[in-house]
Amino acid sequence: MGKKGDLSNFERGMVVGARRAGLSISQSAQLLGFSRTTISRVYKEWCAKGKTSSMRQSCGRKCLVDARGQRRMGRLIQADRRATLTEITTRYNRGMQQSICEATTRTTSRRMGYNSRRPHRVPLISTTNRKKRLQFARAHQNWTVEDWKNVAWSDESRFLLRHSNGRVRIWRKQNENMDPSCLVTTVQAGGGGVMVWGMFSWHTLGPLVPIGHRLNATAYLSIVSDHVHPFMTTMYPSSDGYFQQDNVPCHKARIISNWFLEHDNEFTVLKWPPQSPDLNPIEHLWDVVERELRALDVHPTNLHQLQDAILSIWANISKECFQHLVESMARRIKAVLKAKGGQTPY
């Protein structure tokens, strides 16, 4: 016995095509595998209405939130990305003849493509620094991978024994992760744990130096003379290397600037735009270390164990990993240009 009941729009089109080709009801049923009753009904519907789409798509309970309601809900979500499900439902029901429940709000928002997610945390960038970031991107937009291979990247990072479980959630669509209303800005701050300074280039990982106390100009001068100088002169003997550092106060101290001036014939200090961790690939190496720390079977219980674990993880980062990060610099520059100096996904 052939297939009975409602057919898909494609199957209904096949039925109409067979009948219009001159096949009888029996021949069409035998060819397509549908019952004679179904063949007859579908063809009669086509003759009467001139279309093959099934009218049964509108069967079932009517949706409580129509297209107009979805637009209203979308405006409410975009007006306050941090609103809870209860708040969205309450605001939606104001002035509406027919109210909806939170379950309907959840179903409708998901149908519209919105899901509750944690916002990306990005630095707060001032107008002045947006301009500086844009200037840097324009000045380096023609740099190739070969040019970026001549840069040695550096930064400090702090790793904690314990992590905060605080969560902020927002409503957004899949492609809205970098929408300004979907971001949570962060600022640099201190904290407990182990602080380290590190550097690397496309060619190799550099030293990772634990910092026992707060990094000041005197301590940083020791790092520059004991670690940066031998690394740069070894990796770039032709004096064509660039050393990258961010703009924290100790990096800009007079004794540091004077030291770099005395060695400017050996390498160049890259002029770095403020508030630009997204342009520094070493930030992703810190992410690698952080993930590996969290994945340890036995977590460190004191700062000494934490420091040993960090040093071990750093030493085992693969060459493919850090080389890939340097090779992403052209894409990072394009992202800053596209954002006109604003936040990027990196």
Side-chain angles (χ1 to χ4, degrees):
M1 182 179 293
K3 178 179 179 180
K4 293 184 178 181
D6 195 50
L7 307 181
S8 68
N9 291 340
F10 177 74
E11 292 172 331
R12 295 170 72 87
M14 293 174 59
V15 171
V16 172
R19 295 289 284 121
R20 294 191 66 189
L23 298 181
S24 66
I25 293 178
S26 298
Q27 290 172 329
S28 300
Q30 184 176 7
L31 175 65
L32 300 175
F34 305 145
S35 68
R36 296 175 73 256
T37 302
T38 300
I39 297 291
S40 177
R41 174 175 56 81
V42 171
Y43 188 65
K44 285 181 180 180
E45 289 177 358
W46 179 82
C47 292
K49 301 177 181 178
K51 58 182 181 180
T52 60
S53 60
S54 173
M55 300 302 294
R56 300 190 66 180
Q57 294 176 348
S58 59
C59 295
R61 181 183 177 184
K62 184 178 179 180
C63 183
L64 292 176
V65 183
D66 56 13
R68 183 178 179 182
Q70 289 186 14
R71 291 194 295 271
R72 172 183 170 85
M73 187 174 293
R75 290 193 297 270
L76 292 173
I77 291 174
Q78 292 175 13
D80 185 3
R81 298 283 188 164
R82 302 189 186 189
T84 64
L85 201 63
T86 301
E87 291 171 337
I88 295 173
T89 305
T90 301
R91 294 167 186 173
Y92 179 89
N93 288 333
R94 290 173 185 167
M96 299 294 287
Q97 294 181 350
Q98 187 175 17
S99 62
I100 62 174
C101 63
E102 293 183 14
T104 301
T105 301
R106 180 186 296 107
T107 302
T108 304
S109 61
R110 287 178 177 174
R111 187 184 302 120
M112 295 168 61
Y114 290 102
N115 289 282
S116 178
R117 303 177 185 272
R118 283 184 293 154
H120 280 257
R121 304 179 71 87
V122 295
L124 179 63
I125 303 176
S126 66
T127 302
T128 300
N129 289 336
R130 284 176 68 103
K131 294 179 180 178
K132 292 181 179 179
R133 283 165 52 84
L134 189 57
Q135 291 172 356
F136 179 87
R138 287 171 175 169
H140 297 84
Q141 61 182 328
N142 295 322
W143 274 34
T144 65
V145 174
E146 294 303 314
D147 294 317
W148 293 113
K149 287 181 180 180
N150 290 334
V151 179
W153 310 91
S154 72
D155 192 26
E156 301 87 25
S157 185
R158 184 180 296 275
F159 298 93
L160 305 177
L161 275 174
R162 298 176 180 85
H163 306 275
S164 172
N165 291 322
R167 292 290 185 267
V168 175
R169 302 191 72 85
I170 48 94
W171 291 91
R172 68 170 175 83
K173 293 183 178 180
Q174 184 175 2
N175 61 344
E176 292 182 327
N177 60 313
M178 291 307 299
D179 188 285
S181 62
C182 300
L183 303 175
V184 171
T185 57
T186 62
V187 294
Q188 294 181 354
V194 174
M195 189 174 185
V196 294
W197 174 93
M199 69 180 298
F200 85 104
S201 72
W202 185 90
H203 304 283
T204 185
L205 282 176
L208 188 69
V209 183
I211 302 172
H213 303 284
R214 184 176 180 179
L215 186 64
N216 55 29
T218 303
Y220 188 60
L221 180 61
S222 298
I223 290 176
V224 168
S225 58
D226 296 342
H227 301 284
V228 173
H229 185 248
F231 183 92
M232 297 300 295
T233 54
T234 301
M235 299 308 303
Y236 306 104
S238 301
S239 303
D240 57 350
Y242 292 85
F243 174 67
Q244 179 276 335
Q245 61 176 1
D246 59 23
N247 296 281
V248 298
C250 67
H251 294 178
K252 297 299 182 180
R254 181 173 297 180
I255 59 173
I256 303 299
S257 299
N258 290 339
W259 189 95
F260 282 128
L261 284 175
E262 294 173 1
H263 297 81
D264 61 357
N265 62 325
E266 296 175 301
F267 60 89
T268 303
V269 177
L270 189 65
K271 189 175 181 180
W272 193 248
Q275 296 174 318
S276 300
D278 54 338
L279 282 173
N280 192 348
I282 201 172
E283 295 289 345
H284 291 265
L285 291 188
W286 300 142
D287 291 340
V288 171
V289 175
E290 183 68 43
R291 288 196 300 269
E292 292 296 325
L293 282 174
R294 291 176 181 249
L296 290 174
D297 294 330
V298 179
H299 292 274
T301 57
N302 56 57
L303 295 183
H304 180 73
Q305 293 178 1
L306 177 61
Q307 177 177 305
D308 289 344
I310 294 170
L311 294 173
S312 176
I313 293 170
W314 176 267
N316 287 282
I317 295 176
S318 68
K319 192 173 184 178
E320 292 77 9
C321 176
F322 60 78
Q323 287 185 346
H324 176 73
L325 292 176
V326 175
E327 291 163 1
S328 72
M329 282 305 301
R331 297 191 296 273
R332 295 169 189 259
I333 293 295
K334 289 181 180 178
V336 174
L337 291 172
K338 184 177 180 180
K340 297 181 180 179
Q343 292 95 344
T344 71
Y346 290 93

